[in-house]
Amino acid sequence: MKPNPQNATAPVIDFLRRHDGAAALLPAALRNLRLGQDTLALMPAVLRESCEVAGCDDGVLVLRVSSAGAAAKLRQTLPRLRDALLDRGWQVSSIRVRVQPRTLNTRPEARKKKTGVAISPQGVAAFADLRNTLADSPLKTAVERLIKRRRGNDD
């Protein structure tokens, strides 16, 4: 289940409300939040994970995507996306796409460590039997590494 962006922004909104100097930023922050939510909701589901709204200035909406492939797919949908945003009342005259690979800090789900498939003890034993039948080769070396990792004696 994905985190609700509304809940994630609640502490920021509370901070902006409590501090006089920052309170002036609240309307713009809420506007950008709503624009981002509408934009992502109108976008094809396949592109939502690799795209984020960078901002909107003078009617130009800027979207950041994580790869050139995602940018190419997104550019095909821009006229329809712009029209849908106009229908919802957003004054968006054009949309720009910037390719900017994500860093480890941008999204928590991007930082999750990839884990391998679990192998039962019988499976590890089967790989050990396979290793004994293989001649010295890169495959045998790879099988030996797999066995070491699964048995917990990784170097």
Side-chain angles (χ1 to χ4, degrees):
M1 186 165 119
K2 287 186 176 183
N4 183 350
Q6 208 77 37
N7 293 342
T9 59
V12 175
I13 292 171
D14 289 342
F15 171 81
L16 292 174
R17 283 188 180 130
R18 283 193 305 257
H19 295 82
D20 292 334
L25 299 174
L26 186 58
L30 290 174
R31 178 184 173 279
N32 285 336
L33 176 66
R34 285 192 306 273
L35 175 59
Q37 289 171 338
D38 279 354
T39 302
L40 292 176
L42 293 167
M43 202 175 281
V46 169
L47 297 173
R48 284 185 204 136
E49 291 299 316
S50 61
C51 183
E52 56 189 24
V53 177
C56 185
D57 193 25
D58 293 329
V60 179
L61 177 65
V62 179
L63 301 175
R64 280 191 298 241
V65 292
S66 58
S67 69
K73 290 177 187 174
L74 181 60
R75 283 187 182 102
Q76 294 175 355
T77 67
L78 291 183
R80 191 172 44 234
L81 179 61
R82 186 184 58 85
D83 292 344
L85 287 169
L86 287 170
D87 289 345
R88 288 192 179 194
W90 294 104
Q91 298 301 314
V92 176
S93 58
S94 65
I95 302 174
R96 290 180 45 205
V97 177
R98 288 190 180 161
V99 177
Q100 185 173 12
R102 288 197 177 111
T103 61
L104 290 177
N105 299 352
T106 56
R107 289 197 176 173
E109 60 269 14
R111 290 183 289 190
K112 287 182 182 175
K113 182 181 177 185
K114 292 183 180 180
T115 57
V117 176
I119 300 176
S120 68
Q122 295 85 2
V124 175
F127 274 110
D129 291 341
L130 173 65
R131 175 194 55 198
N132 295 333
T133 64
L134 294 173
D136 287 340
S137 66
L139 175 60
K140 183 173 184 175
T141 305
V143 170
E144 287 172 344
R145 272 196 318 263
L146 181 138
I147 293 167
K148 281 183 181 180
R149 280 191 205 120
R150 300 304 172 173
R151 288 184 176 162
N153 5 334
D154 194 14
D155 295 337

